[in-house]
Amino acid sequence: RKATLKVTVRNRGSGPARNLDVSATVSAEHAVLGGSGPSREPGRVDGDRVTFPPIAELPAGASAVFTVDLEAAKPGAARFQ
């Protein structure tokens, strides 16, 4: 089975967040197929992790949405970090 997860990163601070690095890691029960961030550039897949292009600036109160495309690799309880 395939699934797409959405991850939202929010800046709850009072000032802009700069040079944000965002990545996601899955457990062995899933395989990462790909993903993308707010820039629509594809994330870089390396085994069980997808790393997204950095965000230069996220203003205070703003959010950015990332998607991670997964596929079941084997039965079992799966985790997403």
Side-chain angles (χ1 to χ4, degrees):
R1 299 186 104 192
K2 293 182 181 179
T4 298
L5 302 177
K6 289 187 179 183
V7 179
T8 301
V9 175
R10 289 188 176 91
N11 179 358
R12 295 186 181 190
S14 59
R18 293 186 175 90
N19 301 318
L20 298 173
D21 292 321
V22 178
S23 64
T25 304
V26 299
S27 59
E29 289 76 21
H30 283 102
V32 178
L33 301 176
S36 64
S39 68
R40 303 279 188 234
E41 291 181 49
R44 183 175 42 86
V45 176
D46 184 16
D48 63 351
R49 174 179 287 224
V50 60
T51 302
F52 301 97
I55 297 177
E57 185 173 298
L58 188 62
S63 60
V65 177
F66 299 83
T67 60
V68 180
D69 300 316
L70 306 171
E71 182 174 59
K74 64 181 182 178
R79 290 189 298 150
F80 179 78
Q81 298 178 321

